[in-house]
Amino acid sequence: MPAVEKQAAADQYAAVEKQEYRDAMARLGSAVNIITTDGPGGRAGFTASAVCSVTDSPPTLLVCLNRSASVYPVFKENQVLCVNTLADCHESLSNLFGGKTPTEQRFEAARWMRLATGSPILTDALVSFDCKVTQITSVGTHDILFCEAVALRRNDDSHGLVYFDRRYHPLMRQLAC
Ligand SMILES: NC(=O)c1ccc[n+]([C@@H]2O[C@H](COP(=O)([O-])OP(=O)(O)OC[C@H]3O[C@@H](n4cnc5c(N)ncnc54)[C@H](O)[C@@H]3O)[C@@H](O)[C@H]2O)c1
Ligand SMILES: Cc1cc2c(cc1C)N(C[C@H](O)[C@H](O)[C@H](O)COP(=O)(O)O)c1[nH]c(=O)[nH]c(=O)c1N2
């Protein structure tokens, strides 16, 4: 089909209204993560549910970051980040990093260490992916950061945390007895 006709065919679909889309997205349960960075641009961190695995070769995750977030310029400059996937005990930490709280207050509330990139690793996270940002694509209000994992840390005894229907839910692992 010629490009003009393809465009005309696509234009016949109206976009779903924003609130209706959010109400629908609230039905998708997801892991909750605190994304951190440190480097020439300074230290920053925010809560993100828009995170997923892209490929294992090379081991790559994606993180969606709203360009209007206060932390955006810091992540853009540093080009490294850590995806810290939260455990069941981290509900209040998730809210702290998801709101309007100043950076120092966010980081004071937990214990951190470093691995390869210098990004803060949450010591009791379920799992942490220390990454370099390899590619960025803008879609609408967000940037999609493609992140290659260069180091990992796991806490195999922790339970998970899921964000579903605008609430947090603990997700129990079957632990060996
Ligand atoms: N991807 C995101 O940027 C994203 C995801 C989850 C929550 N949030 C923010 O966290 C706060 C609380 O969220 P909530 O789930 O309690 O209620 P909500 O009604 O704002 O969002 C419902 C769902 O819609 C999606 N969503 C919300 N805002 C979005 C955005 N700007 N871009 C893309 N998808 C978005 C998410 O899947 C979210 O769980 C809100 O300020 C929300 O904007 C942002
Ligand atoms: C459960 C949950 C999940 C998400 C968020 C919030 C919460 C509570 N937020 C919002 C994000 O954390 C917030 O905008 C940042 O903390 C930046 O806020 P300030 O601009 O610094 O106030 C968020 N933002 C984003 O850009 N991508 C995402 O995937 C998510 N996911």
Side-chain angles (χ1 to χ4, degrees):
M1 191 191 290
V4 178
E5 285 177 35
K6 264 191 198 161
Q7 188 58 49
D11 286 347
Q12 70 182 303
Y13 300 112
V16 165
E17 196 263 324
K18 185 160 119 178
Q19 190 55 49
E20 203 186 341
Y21 175 75
R22 285 192 179 198
D23 291 345
M25 286 305 298
R27 307 285 174 95
L28 276 68
S30 56
V32 194
N33 312 273
I34 290 178
I35 317 297
T36 56
T37 189
D38 203 353
R43 184 171 65 160
F46 72 103
T47 298
S49 52
V51 171
C52 78
S53 177
V54 177
T55 172
D56 64 0
S57 311
T60 305
L61 298 87
L62 68 76
V63 175
C64 300
L65 172 57
N66 197 318
R67 285 192 302 283
S68 68
S70 67
V71 297
Y72 175 77
V74 184
F75 279 86
K76 192 77 195 253
E77 185 172 346
N78 289 348
Q79 296 289 312
V80 293
L81 59 78
C82 181
V83 175
N84 295 284
T85 306
L86 299 184
D88 58 338
C89 58
H90 288 137
E91 186 172 330
S92 58
L93 197 64
S94 174
N95 288 332
L96 206 57
F97 276 79
K100 303 281 167 204
T101 320
T103 302
E104 287 311 310
Q105 234 172 292
R106 294 185 189 195
F107 282 96
E108 270 168 17
R111 288 178 55 225
W112 308 90
M113 55 176 282
R114 282 167 208 268
L115 282 175
T117 72
S119 305
I121 311 287
L122 178 65
T123 55
D124 58 354
L126 193 59
V127 62
S128 296
F129 301 87
D130 198 15
C131 300
K132 61 178 180 184
V133 177
T134 54
Q135 212 176 309
I136 301 180
T137 301
S138 295
V139 178
T141 52
H142 283 56
D143 272 11
I144 306 170
L145 311 180
F146 292 91
C147 310
E148 186 176 330
V150 294
L152 300 173
R153 178 182 152 88
R154 297 183 347 205
N155 281 303
D156 286 342
D157 292 336
S158 303
H159 296 292
L161 185 67
V162 168
Y163 193 64
F164 169 68
D165 204 18
R166 300 186 170 104
R167 287 170 194 272
Y168 297 96
H169 304 266
L171 192 62
M172 297 304 154
R173 300 177 66 237
Q174 197 131 35
L175 301 175
C177 48

